[in-house]
Amino acid sequence: MSMKKEKPLILLSNDDGVNAKGLNELIRALRGLGEIIVMAPDGPRSGASGSITSEHPVRYYKVREEEDLTVYKCSGTPVDCVKLALHAVVPHRPDVVIGGINHGDNSAVNVHYSGTMGVVIEGCLKGIPSIGYSLCNHLADADFSALLPYIRRITEEVLEHGLPAGICLNVNFPDVAEFKGVRICRQTNGTWEKEWKVCTHPRGGEYYWLTGQFVNHEPEAVDSDHWALNHGYVAITPTQIDVTAYSIIKDLKNWKLDV
Amino acid sequence: MSMKKEKPLILLSNDDGVNAKGLNELIRALRGLGEIIVMAPDGPRSGASGSITSEHPVRYYKVREEEDLTVYKCSGTPVDCVKLALHAVVPHRPDVVIGGINHGDNSAVNVHYSGTMGVVIEGCLKGIPSIGYSLCNHLADADFSALLPYIRRITEEVLEHGLPAGICLNVNFPDVAEFKGVRICRQTNGTWEKEWKVCTHPRGGEYYWLTGQFVNHEPEAVDSDHWALNHGYVAITPTQIDVTAYSIIKDLKNWKLDV
């Protein structure tokens, strides 16, 4: 499974856009590890999930170029960025695809809404070892400095070992100054509640802002990613692209489904 | 697990928009089975995946009202539609959330891009039995008539049996006049290739349309959803919201991840 080469090719994207601090901190964490190519959205795409652009065409532009670093911005979604980078700008197949560093938590069920994990799942679907990095702090000026050595270490391990086909990593960092260590976790079971803030339009009628509170259904589960984050650990949740619910196949075969 | 009541409450959405033929055919398939509420996007949202709207507020409007049918349109994504319907318009918790009928195939890895399955996964995350229906024909005037009795039957079975927590159904129909039967399947392993059509802008520069060819990595796998569709069967792929890759947790614990 080793993908080790003289100089690894590292493809980065995110969902907070090309100007986000998290992306630039990710570049800082990885400089020197290989050749870095960035294809990031030209503005914020938080909550983009695995969305793709089908109704409009997509464009991209070079933003800057330094030794072993080329940055592009793209008019599409985070997934579009990965697809377009692989088609149009990489000199050869990347050794790793990385999403982040996200300004905000992508643990638990948030994986289903996350544009950062959209990047990562797309890299994984293309057969490339892929990692998402997120910090549980959504502020634009969040402090990412404690994350950088961990990000470098985890990325080095992925470059060294590779990842099995169809499996990627969702790495979340608690918003603390010092981490207690790293835990390998499973996705926490929970639900978003109180999701809408209602406002009244100046010309009448109501509009709704998506917000909400995450309710953890298993706060005591020590193997869950939320437990790790709540206790000061870096949470690595390995994530798979096969979403088949194998456990129910046998039961479903007994349903009366023919007409 | 039974959710049976006197008159089930059925919440519908889709990603092709409130005016799509597939949605109206879905209503036709389900009329008489219960009270139907539709909250659908006000235009096409193909490829919306599980995306949510975070940068703008969202609005909704009533479109029409008949006995046991109320239709709303919403400015947001398919997932927004489900979240907003549950918050703002349903008289009580729905018995089932249904996405579709999608104009196009949502089998195999397409589940990761699908706005239809965004609807379904959101219903499932909210603890409601949820089903996605898709036809392997993306044309606006596709013929859905052969699907209707199957959709009614499958929906009745879900209303009767419920579904386990965290599991929903992804139902795809082949584009044939008559189905050979129903198969319970797993997600096919494959990749999208040749994904971009490049065009030149009248004022110079290139733009890119997302397109592509799906390459099935296991065309002979008789338990896969693509095999079923390619052989004329209705493919039901049970789908889960826990995407943890449990198989790799033990190996990852041996990685050198501390710094």
Side-chain angles (χ1 to χ4, degrees):
Chain A
M1 275 195 315
S2 176
M3 306 288 285
K4 210 174 177 181
K5 286 180 197 168
E6 279 311 307
K7 188 192 277 190
L9 181 61
I10 300 170
L11 175 61
L12 309 185
S13 191
N14 74 348
D15 71 354
D16 294 313
V18 70
N19 294 320
K21 181 177 178 185
L23 174 62
N24 288 289
E25 291 288 281
L26 179 59
I27 293 168
R28 201 154 72 91
L30 301 175
R31 279 312 280 268
L33 213 56
E35 182 186 350
I36 298 173
I37 294 178
V38 179
M39 175 76 83
D42 57 15
R45 305 280 191 283
S46 275
S49 184
S51 60
I52 51 178
T53 302
S54 52
E55 298 287 322
H56 310 282
V58 172
R59 303 190 77 170
Y60 75 94
Y61 306 91
K62 191 181 285 185
V63 174
R64 64 188 170 108
E65 193 164 13
E66 302 171 15
E67 191 181 343
D68 286 338
L69 172 67
T70 316
V71 179
Y72 303 89
K73 65 177 179 181
C74 168
S75 61
T77 68
V79 171
D80 292 337
C81 287
V82 175
K83 288 182 183 289
L84 193 53
L86 294 178
H87 175 81
V89 305
V90 297
H92 56 85
R93 186 181 178 76
D95 296 293
V96 64
V97 172
I98 303 179
I101 307 171
N102 191 58
H103 295 246
D105 178 4
N106 282 320
S107 70
V109 299
N110 298 341
V111 64
H112 290 287
Y113 308 119
S114 166
T116 305
M117 288 307 295
V119 166
V120 176
I121 289 166
E122 184 60 28
C124 189
L125 284 167
K126 289 285 187 277
I128 302 168
S130 299
I131 319 167
Y133 294 115
S134 304
L135 173 62
C136 296
N137 180 333
H138 67 276
L139 298 176
D141 66 345
D143 181 2
F144 295 90
S145 53
L147 285 62
L148 305 194
Y150 284 86
I151 286 174
R152 194 170 177 103
R153 189 82 275 275
I154 294 165
T155 306
E156 284 171 342
E157 285 290 288
V158 168
L159 287 168
E160 173 72 23
H161 299 287
L163 286 169
I167 295 179
C168 52
L169 300 184
N170 180 10
V171 183
N172 287 273
F173 294 87
D175 187 27
V176 297
E178 203 171 330
F179 306 120
K180 282 197 188 150
V182 177
R183 288 177 72 92
I184 312 300
C185 304
R186 65 173 175 82
Q187 178 187 318
T188 307
N189 184 13
T191 317
W192 281 92
E193 295 182 0
K194 299 178 182 163
E195 290 189 293
W196 295 101
K197 179 170 166 45
V198 189
C199 302
T200 302
H201 194 281
R203 289 192 299 276
E206 289 172 333
Y207 60 92
Y208 294 78
W209 284 102
L210 191 57
T211 169
Q213 293 172 5
F214 181 74
V215 178
N216 186 341
H217 291 174
E218 43 175 5
E220 306 305 324
V222 298
D223 59 342
S224 70
D225 48 14
H226 255 243
W227 189 95
L229 294 167
N230 287 338
H231 290 78
Y233 293 92
V234 179
I236 302 186
T237 308
T239 297
Q240 63 188 32
I241 57 177
D242 180 358
V243 294
T244 308
Y246 290 97
S247 64
I248 198 193
I249 286 182
K250 200 177 151 198
D251 282 350
L252 287 178
K253 287 185 175 173
N254 292 322
W255 284 21
K256 293 185 184 65
L257 295 168
D258 281 307
V259 296
Chain B
M1 271 194 319
S2 175
M3 305 288 283
K4 210 173 179 183
K5 285 178 197 171
E6 279 310 306
K7 189 192 274 188
L9 181 61
I10 301 169
L11 175 62
L12 309 185
S13 191
N14 75 347
D15 73 353
D16 294 312
V18 69
N19 295 321
K21 181 178 178 184
L23 175 61
N24 288 290
E25 291 287 282
L26 178 59
I27 293 169
R28 201 152 72 92
L30 301 175
R31 280 311 279 270
L33 212 55
E35 183 186 349
I36 298 173
I37 295 179
V38 179
M39 176 76 84
D42 58 14
R45 304 283 190 282
S46 274
S49 185
S51 60
I52 52 178
T53 302
S54 52
E55 298 287 321
H56 310 284
V58 172
R59 303 191 78 171
Y60 74 94
Y61 305 90
K62 191 182 284 184
V63 174
R64 64 188 169 109
E65 194 165 9
E66 302 170 16
E67 191 180 342
D68 286 338
L69 173 66
T70 316
V71 180
Y72 302 89
K73 65 178 180 180
C74 168
S75 62
T77 68
V79 171
D80 293 336
C81 288
V82 176
K83 289 181 182 291
L84 195 51
L86 293 178
H87 174 81
V89 305
V90 297
H92 57 84
R93 185 180 179 77
D95 296 290
V96 64
V97 172
I98 303 178
I101 307 170
N102 190 59
H103 294 246
D105 177 6
N106 282 320
S107 70
V109 299
N110 297 342
V111 65
H112 290 288
Y113 308 119
S114 167
T116 305
M117 287 307 296
V119 166
V120 177
I121 289 166
E122 184 60 27
C124 189
L125 284 166
K126 289 285 186 279
I128 303 167
S130 300
I131 320 166
Y133 294 115
S134 304
L135 172 63
C136 296
N137 179 334
H138 67 276
L139 298 177
D141 65 346
D143 181 3
F144 294 91
S145 53
L147 286 63
L148 304 195
Y150 284 87
I151 286 175
R152 194 169 177 104
R153 188 83 273 275
I154 294 165
T155 305
E156 284 171 340
E157 285 290 288
V158 168
L159 286 168
E160 173 73 26
H161 298 288
L163 286 169
I167 294 179
C168 50
L169 300 184
N170 180 9
V171 183
N172 287 273
F173 293 87
D175 187 26
V176 296
E178 201 171 336
F179 306 121
K180 282 194 188 154
V182 177
R183 288 177 72 93
I184 312 302
C185 304
R186 64 173 175 81
Q187 177 187 317
T188 308
N189 185 15
T191 317
W192 281 93
E193 295 183 0
K194 299 179 181 163
E195 290 189 294
W196 295 101
K197 176 167 169 51
V198 190
C199 302
T200 302
H201 193 280
R203 290 191 298 275
E206 288 170 337
Y207 61 91
Y208 295 76
W209 284 102
L210 191 56
T211 169
Q213 294 171 2
F214 181 74
V215 179
N216 186 341
H217 292 172
E218 44 177 2
E220 306 304 325
V222 297
D223 59 342
S224 70
D225 50 12
H226 254 244
W227 189 95
L229 294 167
N230 288 336
H231 290 79
Y233 292 92
V234 179
I236 301 185
T237 309
T239 296
Q240 63 187 33
I241 58 178
D242 180 359
V243 294
T244 308
Y246 290 97
S247 64
I248 197 191
I249 286 182
K250 200 176 152 197
D251 282 351
L252 287 178
K253 287 184 174 172
N254 292 321
W255 284 22
K256 294 185 183 63
L257 294 169
D258 280 307
V259 296

